[in-house]
C-alpha cells in the first residue's frame, strides 16, 4: 500500500528556510495531488499547499508569499520550502495524498520542526 | 476562508456510549466534508468523506450525516480505541480548512 515519509531538519533558525521532503513508496506519485499540512503543538491543523504530479501547485493565501512546493516524479518525492520562518512556524509537518475529492486519505507520520536560534 | 466550528471541544464518555460530534461551516459546503481521527503522536486518519461515506477499513460504528452548514459524526458504541481527537475538514472552497477538534476522553 502507498506510504508517505517526511524527512528534513528538525531545527531551523529564525529567518532561514524550512525544507522538507516527502517520499512516496508503494505506488506512483502520478495522477494525484500531494499536500503539506502542519499542526503547531497542542493546536489544530492548517493546510499549507498542494502540488499535482504535472507540477501545478496552489498555496494557502496566508502563507503563499513564503511557500514553494516542488515535485520530482523520477524520485517519487515532493518537497516543501517555507522561507523567513519564525517561532510561529514551529509545528509537526505532515505530507498527505489528496485524491480528486479534496480530502486527505493517506498521511505521513509527521515530522516535528522547531524554529529556534 | 470558510470557518469550521466543532462542538463540543471535549466530551467525556464511557465504553459503549453513543457519542455525537457537531461541525458547523460558516457558509454552505454541500456535502464536501470529511472527518478525521487523531491519536496522540500520530497522523490524522480519514474516517468519513463526502459527509457520510465511510473510508475503507473504518468500523461501521462510525457514521456521518449532514449537508449545507451542519454536520455530525456519530460513534454508535464507543470502543477503547476510539478515545482520540476528531477533526472535520471542508473541501468545498479554497483553501481547505479544518475544525478546531473535539477530544473524546474516558469518563
Amino acid at each position: 500500500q502507498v506510504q508517505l515519509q517526511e524527512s528534513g531538519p528538525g531545527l531551523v533558525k529564525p529567518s532561514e528556510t524550512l525544507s522538507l521532503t516527502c517520499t512516496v513508496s508503494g505506488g506512483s506519485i502520478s495522477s494525484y495531488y500531494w499536500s503539506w499540512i502542519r499542526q503547531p503543538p497542542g493546536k489544530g491543523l492548517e493546510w499549507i499547499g498542494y502540488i499535482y504530479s504535472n507540477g501545478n501547485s496552489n498555496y494557502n493565501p496566508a502563507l503563499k508569499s513564503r511557500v514553494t512546493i516542488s515535485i520530482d516524479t523520477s524520485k517519487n518525492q515532493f518537497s516543501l520550502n517555507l522561507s523567513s520562518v519564525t517561532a510561529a512556524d514551529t509545528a509537526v509537518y505532515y505530507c498527505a495524498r489528496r485524491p480528486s475529492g479534496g480530502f486527505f486519505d493517506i498521511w505521513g507520520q509527521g515530522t516535528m520542526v522547531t524554529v529556534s536560534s | 476562508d470558510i470557518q469550521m466550528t466543532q462542538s463540543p471541544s471535549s466530551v467525556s464518555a464511557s465504553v459503549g456510549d453513543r457519542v455525537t460530534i457537531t461541525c458547523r461551516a460558516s457558509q454552505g459546503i454541500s456535502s464536501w466534508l470529511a472527518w478525521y481521527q487523531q491519536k496522540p503522536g500520530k497522523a490524522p486518519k480519514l474516517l468519513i468523506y463526502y459527509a457520510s461515506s465511510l473510508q475503507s477499513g473504518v468500523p461501521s460504528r462510525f457514521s456521518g450525516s449532514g449537508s449545507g452548514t451542519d454536520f455530525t459524526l456519530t460513534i454508535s458504541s464507543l470502543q477503547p480505541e476510539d478515545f482520540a481527537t476528531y477533526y472535520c475538514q471542508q473541501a468545498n472552497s479554497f483553501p481547505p480548512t479544518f475544525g478546531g477538534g473535539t477530544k473524546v476522553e474516558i469518563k
Side-chain angles (χ1 to χ4, degrees):
Chain A
Q1 71 280 22
V2 175
Q3 293 183 312
L4 281 63
Q5 177 68 57
E6 305 89 350
S7 59
L11 181 64
V12 180
K13 289 182 168 55
S15 80
E16 296 190 344
T17 296
L18 179 160
S19 296
L20 297 174
T21 295
C22 182
T23 300
V24 179
S25 60
S28 174
I29 203 169
S30 298
S31 304
Y32 282 99
Y33 292 87
W34 302 93
S35 277
W36 288 97
I37 297 162
R38 70 180 182 179
Q39 185 173 35
K43 297 188 178 180
L45 299 158
E46 180 181 33
W47 176 78
I48 298 170
Y50 66 67
I51 190 164
Y52 190 63
S53 51
N54 65 2
N56 289 342
S57 59
N58 216 338
Y59 307 132
N60 190 324
L63 300 168
K64 186 174 183 177
S65 63
R66 300 193 290 131
V67 173
T68 303
I69 299 176
S70 58
I71 194 165
D72 186 337
T73 54
S74 68
K75 294 182 179 179
N76 250 27
Q77 294 177 333
F78 62 104
S79 298
L80 168 70
N81 277 358
L82 180 65
S83 64
S84 304
V85 296
T86 69
D89 295 309
T90 294
V92 176
Y93 285 76
Y94 296 100
C95 56
R97 188 178 78 170
R98 196 210 84 163
S100 58
F103 312 117
F104 305 102
D105 65 341
I106 301 174
W107 296 61
Q109 65 184 28
T111 188
M112 179 69 200
V113 179
T114 300
V115 178
S116 175
S117 55
Chain B
D1 297 4
I2 293 180
Q3 306 303 315
M4 305 300 293
T5 303
Q6 288 183 232
S7 61
S9 57
S10 66
V11 57
S12 294
S14 301
V15 172
D17 284 354
R18 181 182 184 88
V19 173
T20 298
I21 298 168
T22 296
C23 179
R24 175 165 288 175
S26 60
Q27 57 187 272
I29 59 169
S30 186
S31 295
W32 294 94
L33 185 101
W35 290 97
Y36 301 86
Q37 176 194 67
Q38 186 178 35
K39 296 181 179 179
K42 300 294 186 182
K45 172 188 173 183
L46 179 64
L47 300 176
I48 302 282
Y49 60 97
Y50 293 140
S52 60
S53 295
L54 196 66
Q55 175 71 347
S56 176
V58 174
S60 59
R61 62 181 180 272
F62 291 93
S63 64
S65 65
S67 67
T69 60
D70 295 314
F71 302 85
T72 58
L73 172 70
T74 299
I75 310 172
S76 60
S77 177
L78 198 65
Q79 298 302 301
E81 60 268 30
D82 300 337
F83 291 96
T85 300
Y86 294 83
Y87 293 94
C88 60
Q89 176 237 328
Q90 67 83 18
N92 181 76
S93 298
F94 181 84
T97 48
F98 294 85
T102 295
K103 187 173 184 179
V104 177
E105 300 175 299
I106 301 172
K107 192 171 187 177

